Amino acid sequence: MKAVTMRSALILALAVVCIMSIAPTSSAFTWTNNIVLEEDGMSWDYTEGYNGEVATSYRGFIDSEVGNDDDHVSAWELMKVDYFTRNRLKTALMEELDVAFDSSSEDIHVTDVDAEISLDVLGSTSKTANITNMYFVTYSFDRNFFDMGNSMTFEGQAETEVTITLPEGAKLLSYDGIKIKTIDTKDNRTAINGFFEEEGKITIDFTRDETEVEADEAAE
């Protein structure tokens, strides 16, 4: 099993390293990233899944470490996990952003952090029912996306699935650190789908599609 990076351990609700140790990541734990870039900012949504015995361990850890250790996860315990998770994620991002233009995060700001801990966590800690949690982070840019730089980097969990959607009119020039599954273009937006490679860092180089710019100018 691959080690969990410090960033991902902070994002996960509890001590994932302990929870994941009982089963292979591929079958017991899933993690996907959905990054959508706009001209004035971006969103990065995470979907986290616990399956089988790992889901049981997750419930047990919540009950023992956050709750009252009565072999049952109650609504108030779930609310504490939700609050804990949001604050840990926000603190981690304030200490070190996971996004940069031309190796600088100076003009990027986190504007909102949200979490949605599954109601399936509730109930007996012996339950094996799957759990799917979601986390949402919104960023703003000080300048237009096309004025922020010519390359962008994303730091995430190694070997997890990721989709990166570029703003309308952005042309992908090259990429590094991602094992590509597909690259699609729809409605003048390019979407890159694949997996973070072992270093957990993706870099894309881009430019503005001059054909689109000329078309916009002609329309005016």
Side-chain angles (χ1 to χ4, degrees), residues 55-195:
T56 301
S57 295
Y58 180 83
R59 292 182 177 92
F61 202 89
I62 290 175
D63 182 46
S64 63
E65 300 299 321
V66 179
N68 58 0
D69 201 15
D70 65 349
D71 298 325
H72 189 275
V73 179
S74 302
W76 67 269
E77 293 170 322
L78 184 138
M79 289 177 65
K80 284 184 68 175
V81 170
D82 183 278
Y83 176 81
F84 174 85
T85 304
R86 295 179 197 219
N87 280 274
R88 288 290 295 272
L89 175 53
K90 187 173 183 179
T91 298
L93 292 172
M94 291 302 180
E95 290 176 353
E96 182 183 0
L97 274 183
D98 49 2
V99 183
F101 283 91
D102 293 347
S103 301
S104 173
S105 299
E106 184 177 352
D107 296 324
I108 306 172
H109 310 281
V110 174
T111 57
D112 190 43
V113 176
D114 202 355
E116 189 175 290
I117 306 301
S118 173
L119 293 177
D120 291 329
V121 172
L122 297 172
S124 171
T125 56
S126 64
K127 286 169 54 178
T128 59
N130 296 348
I131 298 168
T132 301
N133 299 330
M134 297 190 70
Y135 309 93
F136 313 92
V137 184
T138 306
Y139 307 73
S140 66
F141 303 149
D142 283 346
R143 300 185 304 280
N144 185 283
F145 173 85
F146 296 103
D147 297 324
M148 292 285 285
N150 299 308
S151 71
M152 197 170 186
T153 57
F154 310 90
E155 295 189 22
Q157 175 60 33
E159 300 186 2
T160 58
E161 188 165 3
V162 59
T163 298
I164 302 171
T165 303
L166 300 179
E168 183 176 352
K171 182 179 180 181
L172 179 66
L173 298 178
S174 64
Y175 55 84
D176 184 57
I178 181 172
K179 182 179 179 181
I180 292 292
K181 287 176 60 179
T182 60
I183 299 178
D184 298 313
T185 300
K186 183 178 180 181
D187 298 329
N188 203 31
R189 298 190 69 156
T190 299
I192 312 156
N193 180 244
F195 293 85

